[in-house]
Amino acid sequence: HAQREGRPVVFGQLKDAGKFPDLKALAGDAKLTQMAAIVSDADLYASSGAGLKSNMVMSELLTRENRKHGGTADFTNDNARLFFLDSIVGKEGFASAPGRAAANDNLESLRAETARRIAAGKKPPPPPGPGH
């Protein structure tokens, strides 16, 4: 966040710096930080920036993969989606400037639609079948 806002970064002064020692290399390198942000955004886009249908497909695939390996998590419901949007992608949206410009509007629309669905108690429709 600091580098995104143009503020200097001193890793040891960052909140929770000790939890993420692998990120220390990024703290002093704004170009490397932006590259990491772009790669992160590219990874998260299909699940959060391309709309509800894309999110549903990716959530179904993740749920299947999880269960294939013995997990029981269900990533296909609205509460799981809202957690993902707020806690994984983040309430500020995508990490990179290109990601924010390209997809933050879609992300906010998906977040608003998900919140409406939760408030209305709606169940998600079945995900599109293969090839959709």
Side-chain angles (χ1 to χ4, degrees), residues 4 15 20 23 48 54 62 66 70 76 85 88-89 101 111:
R4 178 168 63 189
K15 179 183 173 192
F20 307 103
L23 298 179
S48 58
S54 181
L62 182 59
N66 176 268
T76 63
L85 297 175
I88 305 301
V89 179
R111 182 179 280 120

Side-chain angles (χ1 to χ4, degrees), residues 3 7 18-19 31 33-34 36-37 42 46 50 55-56 58-59 61 63 83-84 92 95 97-98 109 114-115 125 129:
Q3 286 185 350
R7 294 183 284 120
K19 291 183 181 179
K31 288 181 183 179
T33 299
Q34 281 302 301
N55 173 272
M56 291 172 64
M58 298 306 291
S59 296
L61 292 172
T63 297
F83 174 83
F84 173 76
E92 301 86 9
S109 293
T114 301

Side-chain angles (χ1 to χ4, degrees), residues 4 15 21 29 37 42 53 57 69 76 80 96 98 105 118 121 124 128 131:
R4 178 168 63 189
K15 179 183 173 192
D29 189 335
K53 284 184 182 180
V57 169
H69 295 284
T76 63
S96 69
D105 289 346
I118 290 170

Side-chain angles (χ1 to χ4, degrees), residues 1 8 10 13 15 22 24 34-35 37 42 45-47 60 62 66 79-80 84-85 89 91 100 102 105 112 121-122:
H1 291 276
V10 178
Q13 295 175 356
K15 179 183 173 192
D22 51 323
K24 186 174 183 178
Q34 281 302 301
M35 181 57 69
Y45 177 79
S47 297
E60 178 65 30
L62 182 59
N66 176 268
N79 288 315
F84 173 76
L85 297 175
V89 179
K91 292 184 180 184
R100 288 189 306 278
D105 289 346
K122 290 187 177 180

